[in-house]
Amino acid sequence: MHEVLKMEWGGEYSLDSSNLDCLLNILPGELEFQQILSDLDEKIKKNTSSIEQCLKDLQSEVNEIYTNEILQSTTDCLQWLNNCSFSSLRPSSTHHGELMEFLRTLQSLLKNEQNQEEMILHFLLDLSSQCGVSFPCTPSGTSFELTSSLHAIEDDSTMDVKSLWDDVRLHLRRFLVNRLQSQEETNTNALQQQREFKTQCIQQLLFLYPESEVLTKYQNMQNKLVSDLLQNCILSSCGETNFDKVVHGYQSSVPTLCTMIKEDLYILSGTIDPSSSLKFINETYLDTITEEMTVLLERLCELQFKENALHIVKANKISKKHRGTVHAVASQEYHKKGRNFCLTLYQLKCLSQLIKLFLLMEEKIDELSAEILFVPSFTEKNKNVQGVLKKASGELLIGETRANETSVLPEQLLQVEEPILLNFGWRNAFKDLSSSVAHCITIAIEDFSTKILQHEQKEEFSAAGCAMSLVNNQQMRESCRAVQQEEQPKRIAKFCSDIMEELDTLLPLALACRDDSLQEIRANFVEACSKVATAVLARLEEKSKDVPSKAPLQDLYAALSTAIYVFQHFTMYNNLMRETSKKPLFLVPVQQYQEFINVLQFQVTNYCVRVCATSILQDAESHHWDDCKAFYEGERCSFSVQMWHYFCCALHRDLWTILPPKTAQEILTDVLEQSLAILSSRYCQACPSYKRTPQIRIDIAAILMSTEDMLWSVCSSVQEFLNPHEDRDLKIYKIHSHCNSLLSVLAILTSPLKNLYETFLNNSDEQLPQDFSKVFYHPLHWLFCIPSSCSSLPKTPSAREMAAQGQLKLLLSQPYCNLNLLLETLLHHDCLLVKILLRSSRNEVLNHDEQCSLLEQINNKQPALIETIFTVLSYCTLSPKSLGIAFETYMEKEQLWNCLYNMTVSSCGELEPEVIRCLKLTLINSVKGIVKQIISLMHSWEATENYGMYQHKQIVPESLLKTVPKEWNYTPREMKRKESGKCFTRLAAQAVSIVISKLPTVIACLPPPVKYFFFLAERKMSRNFAELKKAGLLVWNLIVIICRIFEDGNTAELLTGATLDRWSKEKLSLVRVCLESIMGKQKSGPKQVTQKVIQSIEQQRPNWIESQLLKARKLSADCASLTVEGATLEEGGIALGFTEQKINMMVLDICHKPGGSEYLRQIYHIIWLNEEYLKEQLSCENFSEDGVTSSQCLPLTLMGREEQPVFNPFQVYRQSCVKVFNQSTITEWNWDWSNLLPSYLGLNQMTFRVLLAHRYSEVMKTLPYTFTCFIFSFLLEETKIYVFTSGNVLSSWILSSLLQLLPHLAMLSIAQAQ
């Protein structure tokens, strides 16, 4: 009946793998790459030597058995393995009587004893693996194909053996099938355990029956499960089947189906080839779902058709037609339209939701197959692959048949085996509905869009003069996530939001169109959407034309925001349908909206500038410059300047709350620049009287302060603020240019005469450049002349780094959460803002129960502020020092360094500060791969050596052992276990070796900020912890974490998803003791078993443990040292060396990490809620973290903030008086003319002459004649003395300017004479 192969493995071969389960979530440095590559190289060499030794042993075994065929080398051994088959091996016959007795004993145990199936299965597998017994795996109902070596057995006896074996394996098959079915019904185990259990059952079935038969049986089981699941989900609710019920049923069943498919893909991937796996998934799941869906939709079509026919009958009765023709009319209509019927909007939505479910399911299965089986996706068409194969195969066959053309038929040249791909034909189920859906979708879209537009028009007529009804769009729909946050509109018109929401619901109907039968649906959807887009555009154009005569200015912003929203939506539709259509489908609407957006944005800017120029800045009373009376006694600025400031504040608020952030900044920048151009031009032409000169100074100071306040909002980066370039940031550069011009007017027109005279008189031609117009002025010059803005700005205009207050102000002035700017602010000035947050937040120590597992801490859904900051900074791989610098003071203040030094095994369940827990969880994630590998080793050892959970299953009765044929030489596992006393030592040694060997790679894969943090902790380590220095603090903590996991078996189970029995937990505890002994953590002396384990490792590899620990420590220390040396540091702090590109790279890296973007937004929200407090802390002079403490506790939760109130000018007035420009303070400013005026030595000659003329023309008119003559004489005499004493020639343009006083002196002389 069977064949016995005499192949007993004489030894064990250690096959190791790289097992880089600690995934490379970072971009490793050079040292890390070297360590990882060396680790891989070491594993490859080790596996190579093990395989070579295995082949040598196999070669010797084969040479002993087959003396007629001698294998000379391992290459011959590989060739022999490749060519040999079991039928060619020399079998050893088994006596028929012994075989019958053995099978009868098995049969008797199965029939007469209970719960013996599992024991017998393991026993048969043990026989096959240990003794080489090959049990027949023939299909059911077929006879054995006996080899010639069993010629002594008669046919009748063969049938007896066959019937006995069939009976035994049938009984075992029922047992396994029942286990599979019961597992499906209970479904109480974890997914990982269930997957392993089913894999084991399938493999045991494959041991008994051929693959085709097992797969067929399993396929029938899964088919029934799928059908029952779909039918139960739909028929679970009472009433007739309708569209709504179908959608709800599939919504609940699709996730379950995806889980089942994923499970079977994993099970089959380790059992059969990928093509067979795909065939199984196609036939078992995808075809079954398509069939069920087809039947269900046909039933729905019948019901809907009958309902429509009933409406026709009623209509005919109402119209008094003959009753006898009603049925004929309905039948003619039925055949004429091909069962077309009307679908309501609600039914179309249900069908769209159903199609969306299938699209998501198709995408999910595509990802699973690519991930598990590495096979092509649905989108890779078979015809493309087939075409290539046919061409290549044809050429090959032709080449082969040239020598013998008659041997191959012509039709055989085209016979190519088609590759098996996933084939989900769910679209075929919708073919009967395609014509009805295509017809009704156009009607439905036109109907609801018309109703919404009409309703909006009625509301407008009923509430004349009111602003457009807007809705928030902060939470973009899932389909719009491709749009960047800076381009997302914040508020849009309600009618447009309603229309686009309905279109989004129907969009899956058009996305499903890949077949020709469904193309009509997409074509009609595109056509209807284009009409809707045109109608909405026309409505928005009407709205924009009503401003300002019939509607407020806010409607113009709302129309622009709504147009951008529609444009983005149709662009998204176009991109989604591009996969199935080569040409753009929404080209015309997209172009129309793009043109409308450009025009409307220009209209908004132009309107605001015209309002400023023709209305706000037209102030005759304030701008009566030649008035001899002072304007409000020189104690306030002009009304127009104040109103201009209010207008900019209101514009800022409207743009920030309605438009996309990027567009809002562009419009505000344009309005600010153009209005400043108007102000600069007007004040440059002003000729104030002596009494009105202080007003010029106050006006310009107020304009500059208001501009400085707005400048933080229009600049989106520090680089744009500090170093605006004429080519790159033209608008910002022009704003600075206008402000510098205004400051020139202030300096020349309003400075004291004595200071102006002394400044320009003390500079000769040799000290001044020849061409004054080409003298470079830094754009930020005017900012440093405003006393109130110096706290937020750098020390000098040419400084590369902004002050901490300015960095925070720039961040919070943005119209959205700018993640790049946020990260730059957090890293700025050695993480100063982070230090304030850590110091101000209360020190939370969470009281965890000892039974609370570490895994529950990992899955904490509401992280505290400290955890959030720690996570974000640990993700900053390009700024490795940031984590240590930010937490250094906090750790010292809270005295937490000792927690790292005294982190014993038992400390993980005690009270822990937030930082220590975050560090520990980071280390847990890094060693998770090692823990999984050790547990996998335990399981494989149990399965091979029959320990632990397998021990009670392998207690084979003596009655069965006696019947085992002696020729098989079977040794029970219990006896082998007693004979082998070194197995436990070998297991523990292998486990300890895995841990020690993986430590360097684990350290290489740790984030650089975490490695530097431990490096910083080691530098602060006292002499009391000198024993840690041998291995290093990081290595020490990694081993402690592994010991903690091995000590608590529940934590190991939750961390890995595996099931551990008592035996495994005991052995893990033994590994823990060995690791503690290596690290010197054991309180008592090492046990004898521990000594044996360590000695075993040292005997095989002398000094290997110490060298690995030193290697791990060196890797950690070297990486930290490179971090210190490679960091680009200057006086400003760690963020100074980072360009915008590096900041952007770090932000992208953080956002791709789990929860990264949410952590950043949470930090931003906390900063936003505590803006005033943080500004107060940053503004403290001589800031000292030890000396300054705060009693205020920051709000650490993400609480939604109420919507901003309507713009209140009185509130803005109060804020402006305090923050922007305090009029009384401006009038009392002590201008440092000695520093301000020398900067204008290089002013253009014409500009200086004009400004000086404007000043002196008014001065001379207001001064008495005798005093004017005195001033002129004084200036002339001083000039002569300067020239005579210094020997320098007076500057010609200064002399020319002084001579311009003569006409005014002459006019005054005439006036005095009269």
Side-chain angles (χ1 to χ4, degrees):
M1 158 197 168
H2 67 286
E3 299 172 352
V4 179
L5 303 179
K6 297 287 185 178
M7 290 186 180
E8 293 186 1
W9 303 96
E12 295 184 0
Y13 307 95
S14 175
L15 290 179
D16 201 355
S17 62
S18 60
N19 194 27
L20 291 179
D21 223 5
C22 42
L23 298 176
L24 298 180
N25 292 324
I26 62 169
L27 183 62
E30 184 177 355
L31 287 176
E32 288 87 348
F33 265 127
Q34 290 178 0
Q35 171 57 35
I36 294 170
L37 293 177
S38 64
D39 182 69
L40 291 173
D41 186 57
E42 182 181 350
K43 299 302 182 297
I44 292 173
K45 291 179 179 178
K46 186 178 178 181
N47 291 342
T48 302
S49 62
S50 298
I51 293 173
E52 289 179 353
Q53 184 63 37
C54 177
L55 289 175
K56 290 179 181 179
D57 294 343
L58 179 62
Q59 177 185 352
S60 61
E61 292 283 344
V62 173
N63 290 337
E64 289 179 3
I65 299 175
Y66 298 94
T67 56
N68 57 346
E69 185 178 0
I70 303 300
L71 302 179
Q72 300 295 337
S73 63
T74 55
T75 305
D76 297 338
C77 187
L78 288 174
Q79 293 178 354
W80 177 84
L81 284 174
N82 187 40
N83 298 326
C84 77
S85 62
F86 288 107
S87 59
S88 64
L89 299 177
R90 187 184 68 181
S92 60
S93 302
T94 303
H95 193 271
H96 177 260
E98 294 180 358
L99 187 58
M100 290 291 292
E101 183 180 2
F102 173 71
L103 293 176
R104 286 195 185 99
T105 306
L106 289 176
Q107 186 184 41
S108 175
L109 283 174
L110 291 173
K111 289 183 177 180
N112 300 327
E113 301 290 339
Q114 294 183 354
N115 302 326
Q116 298 295 316
E117 291 84 0
E118 191 169 359
M119 180 274 295
I120 292 177
L121 274 171
H122 285 283
F123 176 64
L124 293 176
L125 289 169
D126 196 17
L127 279 173
S128 178
S129 61
Q130 181 188 149
C131 306
V133 178
S134 177
F135 292 96
C137 186
T138 56
S140 302
T142 60
S143 60
F144 291 118
E145 297 180 1
L146 303 176
T147 60
S148 59
S149 61
L150 301 179
H151 57 84
I153 304 177
E154 301 294 336
D155 292 342
D156 294 340
S157 62
T158 301
M159 294 305 297
D160 292 339
V161 172
K162 173 189 176 303
S163 60
L164 285 174
W165 173 243
D166 280 348
D167 188 59
V168 168
R169 65 175 182 165
L170 179 61
H171 194 105
L172 295 175
R173 186 182 74 177
R174 289 173 182 170
F175 167 74
L176 292 173
V177 171
N178 289 335
R179 293 187 69 182
L180 286 172
Q181 292 176 344
S182 62
Q183 183 76 4
E184 292 289 352
E185 292 174 0
T186 56
N187 197 22
T188 56
N189 295 337
L191 293 178
Q192 180 69 21
Q193 299 174 14
Q194 180 177 335
R195 187 185 306 161
E196 293 175 357
F197 174 81
K198 294 183 69 174
T199 303
Q200 184 184 14
C201 291
I202 296 296
Q203 291 174 350
Q204 290 173 347
L205 283 172
L206 290 173
F207 173 73
L208 301 174
Y209 291 92
E211 178 182 304
S212 59
E213 189 170 345
V214 173
L215 290 180
T216 302
K217 182 64 178 177
Y218 185 61
Q219 181 175 331
N220 293 335
M221 290 172 51
Q222 298 299 93
N223 257 326
K224 187 176 184 304
L225 285 173
V226 173
S227 300
D228 293 344
L229 174 65
L230 295 176
Q231 293 175 5
N232 292 335
C233 289
I234 297 171
L235 302 178
S236 58
S237 56
C238 57
E240 294 183 357
T241 304
N242 51 35
F243 288 93
D244 193 14
K245 191 181 299 183
V246 171
V247 172
H248 288 298
Y250 274 89
Q251 282 178 343
S252 60
S253 61
V254 164
T256 306
L257 290 171
C258 291
T259 303
M260 294 172 62
I261 292 174
K262 179 180 180 180
E263 182 182 88
D264 279 344
L265 281 174
Y266 273 111
I267 292 172
L268 298 175
S269 63
T271 308
I272 59 178
D273 61 283
S275 298
S276 301
S277 300
L278 291 179
K279 183 180 179 182
F280 179 88
I281 297 298
N282 286 335
E283 296 177 353
T284 307
Y285 291 97
L286 306 184
D287 294 348
T288 305
I289 295 172
T290 303
E291 292 173 4
E292 294 289 338
M293 193 64 215
T294 303
V295 174
L296 191 60
L297 288 179
E298 288 180 355
R299 190 187 313 163
L300 290 174
C301 292
E302 290 287 345
L303 294 175
Q304 189 65 27
F305 177 75
K306 291 179 181 179
E307 184 178 350
N308 289 353
L310 184 62
H311 287 305
I312 295 176
V313 171
K314 291 181 179 180
N316 288 332
K317 287 183 178 181
I318 294 174
S319 60
K320 297 181 180 180
K321 290 186 177 181
H322 193 271
R323 291 187 177 183
T325 62
V326 171
H327 181 70
V329 170
S331 301
Q332 291 175 2
E333 191 74 14
Y334 170 79
H335 293 291
K336 181 179 179 181
K337 293 187 178 182
R339 296 188 59 172
N340 283 356
F341 46 83
C342 295
L343 293 170
T344 63
L345 177 61
Y346 180 76
Q347 291 172 339
L348 288 174
K349 288 182 179 180
C350 291
L351 287 175
S352 181
Q353 293 178 18
L354 194 61
I355 289 176
K356 183 179 180 180
L357 286 174
F358 284 120
L359 288 172
L360 294 176
M361 184 179 180
E362 189 176 61
E363 182 181 359
K364 180 66 177 177
I365 298 173
D366 193 2
E367 293 176 357
L368 290 174
S369 62
E371 174 187 352
I372 301 172
L373 301 179
F374 304 100
V375 296
S377 60
F378 286 108
T379 56
E380 298 186 25
K381 300 299 182 181
N382 292 345
K383 58 183 181 181
N384 297 334
V385 180
Q386 293 169 8
V388 176
L389 291 176
K390 286 179 180 179
K391 181 179 180 181
S393 178
E395 293 177 354
L396 180 61
L397 287 174
I398 292 173
E400 289 179 348
T401 55
R402 283 178 180 174
N404 189 8
E405 296 181 357
T406 59
S407 61
V408 181
L409 297 176
E411 57 269 16
Q412 293 178 345
L413 297 176
L414 299 178
Q415 293 180 359
V416 179
E417 184 178 356
E418 297 183 0
I420 298 178
L421 298 176
L422 287 171
N423 183 21
F424 196 4
W426 60 270
R427 291 174 177 82
N428 298 328
F430 291 87
K431 286 185 177 180
D432 293 341
L433 284 169
S434 60
S435 57
S436 299
V437 172
H439 174 70
C440 297
I441 194 172
T442 304
I443 300 174
I445 292 176
E446 293 178 355
D447 183 55
F448 70 70
S449 60
T450 303
K451 288 181 179 179
I452 293 174
L453 290 173
Q454 290 176 353
H455 179 71
E456 189 273 337
Q457 197 167 12
K458 289 180 181 179
E459 287 186 346
E460 181 186 6
F461 291 151
S462 61
C466 294
M468 190 186 307
S469 178
L470 303 180
V471 293
N472 290 331
N473 190 46
Q474 295 177 354
Q475 299 295 333
M476 295 293 289
R477 298 202 248 313
E478 182 180 356
S479 57
C480 305
R481 288 181 179 176
V483 180
Q484 297 294 330
Q485 187 183 4
E486 61 180 9
E487 298 177 356
Q488 295 178 5
K490 294 184 178 180
R491 290 175 66 83
I492 58 175
K494 184 179 182 303
F495 76 90
C496 182
S497 176
D498 296 339
I499 291 176
M500 299 311 298
E501 186 176 356
E502 298 289 348
L503 292 180
D504 285 346
T505 307
L506 299 177
L507 177 63
L509 293 173
L511 295 180
C513 300
R514 285 183 182 173
D515 301 332
D516 295 336
S517 59
L518 304 178
Q519 293 295 329
E520 186 181 0
I521 299 177
R522 185 179 63 187
N524 291 357
F525 178 82
V526 172
E527 182 181 357
C529 286
S530 300
K531 293 181 180 179
V532 171
T534 303
V536 172
L537 182 62
R539 187 71 185 122
L540 292 177
E541 289 176 347
E542 293 177 5
K543 289 284 186 181
S544 62
K545 292 178 181 178
D546 291 341
V547 178
S549 58
K550 299 180 181 179
L553 180 60
Q554 285 78 3
D555 279 16
L556 207 58
Y557 311 144
L560 177 58
S561 181
T562 305
I564 294 174
Y565 177 79
V566 178
F567 167 77
Q568 292 174 352
H569 253 70
F570 283 113
T571 303
M572 178 199 66
Y573 288 176
N574 200 28
N575 294 334
L576 291 176
M577 295 183 187
R578 187 174 296 175
E579 298 179 359
T580 56
S581 176
K582 296 181 180 179
K583 60 180 181 179
L585 300 177
F586 293 95
L587 182 60
V588 175
V590 167
Q591 290 179 348
Q592 290 177 346
Y593 273 88
Q594 184 65 64
E595 295 175 359
F596 178 70
I597 290 170
N598 295 334
V599 172
L600 205 58
Q601 184 170 345
F602 173 79
Q603 182 180 348
V604 170
T605 305
N606 188 46
Y607 177 80
C608 293
V609 174
R610 283 190 292 108
V611 167
C612 291
T614 60
S615 179
I616 296 177
L617 298 180
Q618 294 297 328
D619 187 6
E621 180 184 358
S622 301
H623 293 168
H624 189 193
W625 303 120
D626 56 354
D627 191 359
C628 295
K629 296 181 180 180
F631 182 74
Y632 284 84
E633 300 181 0
E635 294 181 355
R636 64 156 297 132
C637 66
S638 301
F639 295 116
S640 58
V641 174
Q642 192 170 358
M643 292 302 107
W644 171 77
H645 171 72
Y646 291 159
F647 177 79
C648 289
C649 291
L651 178 65
H652 176 276
R653 188 264 174 192
D654 289 338
L655 296 178
W656 257 232
T657 56
I658 296 176
L659 287 172
K662 185 177 180 180
T663 307
Q665 283 185 314
E666 291 176 356
I667 293 177
L668 184 61
T669 304
D670 290 339
V671 173
L672 183 62
E673 185 270 323
Q674 295 184 37
S675 60
L676 281 175
I678 297 173
L679 288 169
S680 176
S681 175
R682 291 189 178 183
Y683 280 92
C684 284
Q685 299 175 13
C687 299
S689 64
Y690 179 76
K691 293 290 185 178
R692 285 293 182 119
T693 300
Q695 182 189 352
I696 292 283
R697 184 186 305 158
I698 297 174
D699 281 1
I700 293 178
I703 293 170
L704 294 180
M705 291 190 64
S706 180
T707 303
E708 185 263 344
D709 186 64
M710 289 290 171
L711 193 62
W712 301 97
S713 299
V714 300
C715 294
S716 58
S717 66
V718 176
Q719 182 70 17
E720 188 177 3
F721 190 100
L722 293 181
N723 189 23
H725 198 271
E726 187 175 2
D727 298 330
R728 184 182 63 248
D729 312 304
L730 180 60
K731 298 294 177 65
I732 304 297
Y733 188 85
K734 286 184 177 180
I735 290 175
H736 288 293
S737 177
H738 297 324
C739 291
N740 283 319
S741 298
L742 287 171
L743 189 62
S744 302
V745 175
L746 184 146
I748 305 301
L749 209 59
T750 69
S751 61
L753 291 174
K754 181 179 180 181
N755 298 93
L756 184 66
Y757 167 73
E758 292 177 351
T759 300
F760 286 89
L761 190 64
N762 293 334
N763 293 276
S764 63
D765 287 336
E766 296 178 359
Q767 295 172 316
L768 297 176
Q770 296 297 325
D771 189 0
F772 300 114
S773 61
K774 295 182 179 180
V775 175
F776 173 77
Y777 290 100
H778 196 279
L780 268 66
H781 168 71
W782 65 276
L783 279 172
F784 293 87
C785 298
I786 305 176
S788 64
S789 64
C790 294
S791 61
S792 300
L793 295 173
K795 298 178 181 179
T796 60
S798 59
R800 295 169 54 198
E801 188 187 17
M802 185 176 290
Q805 298 92 322
Q807 191 82 33
L808 179 62
K809 187 175 182 179
L810 182 63
L811 170 67
L812 298 177
S813 299
Q814 301 302 304
Y816 70 108
C817 176
N818 190 329
L819 298 183
N820 288 21
L821 198 54
L822 172 61
L823 182 61
E824 188 175 357
T825 305
L826 294 177
L827 300 178
H828 185 269
H829 201 68
D830 289 342
C831 303
L832 178 58
L833 186 62
V834 175
K835 294 176 183 179
I836 296 176
L837 291 173
L838 293 174
R839 187 189 68 243
S840 303
S841 61
R842 61 185 180 90
N843 183 24
E844 292 184 339
V845 180
L846 302 181
N847 185 10
H848 290 275
D849 191 84
E850 291 185 358
Q851 297 179 354
C852 182
S853 64
L854 296 177
L855 187 66
E856 293 175 353
Q857 299 176 30
I858 297 175
N859 295 329
N860 188 9
K861 295 182 180 180
Q862 294 181 349
L865 174 62
I866 295 177
E867 180 183 351
T868 304
I869 294 174
F870 179 90
T871 306
V872 169
L873 294 182
S874 65
Y875 288 162
C876 297
T877 57
L878 295 180
S879 178
K881 294 188 66 177
S882 58
L883 181 65
I885 291 176
F887 279 89
E888 182 177 5
T889 306
Y890 177 80
M891 296 285 289
E892 292 176 354
K893 182 180 178 181
E894 301 296 332
Q895 298 179 357
L896 298 179
W897 293 117
N898 293 335
C899 295
L900 292 178
Y901 311 145
N902 297 325
M903 194 189 302
T904 58
V905 174
S906 60
S907 67
C908 293
E910 298 175 356
L911 300 180
E912 288 181 334
E914 193 78 23
V915 184
I916 304 301
R917 190 170 67 254
C918 292
L919 283 169
K920 193 170 295 186
L921 296 180
T922 303
L923 299 185
I924 287 174
N925 289 327
S926 65
V927 300
K928 190 184 296 184
I930 296 179
V931 176
K932 287 182 178 180
Q933 189 173 359
I934 298 299
I935 292 178
S936 176
L937 175 66
M938 295 291 176
H939 285 169
S940 63
W941 192 277
E942 286 180 297
T944 317
E945 300 295 332
N946 302 314
Y947 291 106
M949 67 173 64
Y950 297 91
Q951 186 172 355
H952 69 280
K953 301 174 185 177
Q954 295 298 323
I955 301 177
V956 183
E958 288 293 333
S959 58
L960 181 58
L961 290 175
K962 292 179 180 180
T963 61
V964 176
K966 296 180 181 180
E967 194 178 83
W968 294 356
N969 294 330
Y970 174 69
T971 304
R973 290 297 180 180
E974 291 79 2
M975 297 179 61
K976 288 188 66 178
R977 189 161 59 246
K978 293 178 182 178
E979 295 172 359
S980 176
K982 299 181 180 180
C983 53
F984 288 143
T985 304
R986 188 167 62 250
L987 171 63
Q990 190 173 358
V992 171
S993 299
I994 291 175
V995 173
I996 300 299
S997 64
K998 299 297 180 184
L999 283 176
T1001 305
V1002 168
I1003 290 177
C1005 296
L1006 277 174
V1010 175
K1011 286 185 279 191
Y1012 178 78
F1013 190 92
F1014 280 96
F1015 173 78
L1016 188 64
E1018 280 192 43
R1019 292 169 58 183
K1020 298 179 178 294
M1021 189 165 51
S1022 64
R1023 296 182 179 179
N1024 297 331
F1025 308 102
E1027 69 273 8
L1028 300 180
K1029 294 183 179 180
K1030 178 185 295 186
L1033 189 59
L1034 180 56
V1035 179
W1036 166 276
N1037 281 287
L1038 284 172
I1039 295 180
V1040 167
I1041 290 295
I1042 295 173
C1043 292
R1044 168 68 179 94
I1045 296 173
F1046 289 167
E1047 181 185 28
D1048 185 5
N1050 295 330
T1051 301
E1053 288 180 342
L1054 292 173
L1055 195 64
T1056 60
T1059 303
L1060 298 176
D1061 59 350
R1062 183 177 178 181
W1063 183 89
S1064 298
K1065 292 179 180 179
E1066 290 177 355
K1067 300 313 159 190
L1068 287 177
S1069 180
L1070 176 62
V1071 176
R1072 173 186 63 82
V1073 173
C1074 295
L1075 292 173
E1076 289 180 358
S1077 178
I1078 291 174
M1079 299 303 296
K1081 285 293 295 178
Q1082 273 191 310
K1083 296 181 181 179
S1084 59
K1087 298 180 181 179
Q1088 185 178 2
V1089 179
T1090 306
Q1091 291 180 345
K1092 289 182 178 180
V1093 171
I1094 298 176
Q1095 289 176 2
S1096 174
I1097 299 175
E1098 290 294 335
Q1099 287 176 0
Q1100 293 182 358
R1101 309 185 209 179
N1103 300 325
W1104 177 78
I1105 296 178
E1106 184 177 358
S1107 64
Q1108 283 293 110
L1109 294 178
L1110 291 177
K1111 182 179 180 182
R1113 172 171 173 73
K1114 184 177 183 301
L1115 184 65
S1116 176
D1118 290 347
C1119 293
S1121 300
L1122 288 178
T1123 297
V1124 176
E1125 296 174 2
T1128 308
L1129 298 176
E1130 294 184 13
E1131 293 181 1
I1134 60 175
L1136 186 59
F1138 292 128
T1139 61
E1140 291 185 12
Q1141 183 179 5
K1142 289 185 178 180
I1143 291 290
N1144 187 49
M1145 289 174 60
M1146 282 195 289
V1147 170
L1148 291 176
D1149 191 28
I1150 292 173
C1151 292
H1152 282 88
K1153 299 291 178 59
S1157 59
E1158 295 301 323
Y1159 288 145
L1160 285 174
R1161 297 183 193 282
Q1162 182 179 352
I1163 296 174
Y1164 175 81
H1165 191 79
I1166 293 173
I1167 294 174
W1168 185 56
L1169 291 176
N1170 301 272
E1171 177 181 359
E1172 297 300 326
Y1173 166 74
L1174 294 174
K1175 287 181 178 179
E1176 178 185 351
Q1177 294 293 312
L1178 289 174
S1179 61
C1180 294
E1181 296 181 2
N1182 300 322
F1183 182 81
S1184 175
E1185 296 180 4
D1186 296 332
V1188 180
T1189 58
S1190 174
S1191 59
Q1192 181 177 354
C1193 181
L1194 295 181
L1196 303 181
T1197 55
L1198 286 174
M1199 301 297 294
R1201 192 170 180 177
E1202 295 182 359
E1203 187 178 353
Q1204 294 184 1
V1206 181
F1207 177 75
N1208 186 353
F1210 298 102
Q1211 182 180 1
V1212 174
Y1213 171 77
R1214 289 192 296 269
Q1215 294 176 351
S1216 301
C1217 289
V1218 178
K1219 295 181 180 180
V1220 182
F1221 53 92
N1222 190 333
Q1223 309 242 6
S1224 60
T1225 304
I1226 295 177
T1227 57
E1228 297 174 0
W1229 274 355
N1230 293 323
W1231 292 87
D1232 190 0
W1233 302 110
S1234 60
N1235 291 327
L1236 177 61
L1237 291 176
S1239 60
Y1240 292 96
L1241 292 174
L1243 193 65
N1244 183 274
Q1245 296 185 29
M1246 183 62 67
T1247 303
F1248 181 81
R1249 289 175 181 175
V1250 171
L1251 292 177
L1252 194 64
H1254 289 171
R1255 171 173 184 153
Y1256 284 103
S1257 62
E1258 298 302 323
V1259 169
M1260 296 304 171
K1261 291 178 182 178
T1262 56
L1263 292 179
Y1265 173 72
T1266 55
F1267 186 66
T1268 305
C1269 294
F1270 171 75
I1271 292 176
F1272 182 77
S1273 302
F1274 172 77
L1275 293 176
L1276 193 58
E1277 289 298 327
E1278 290 292 329
T1279 303
K1280 292 179 180 179
I1281 294 173
Y1282 170 76
V1283 174
F1284 178 77
T1285 57
S1286 62
N1288 296 328
V1289 179
L1290 188 66
S1291 176
S1292 59
W1293 69 278
I1294 294 180
L1295 183 61
S1296 175
S1297 300
L1298 290 174
L1299 293 177
Q1300 288 183 6
L1301 295 175
L1302 289 176
H1304 301 290
L1305 184 62
M1307 294 176 63
L1308 288 174
S1309 300
I1310 296 173
Q1312 291 290 336
Q1314 293 176 352

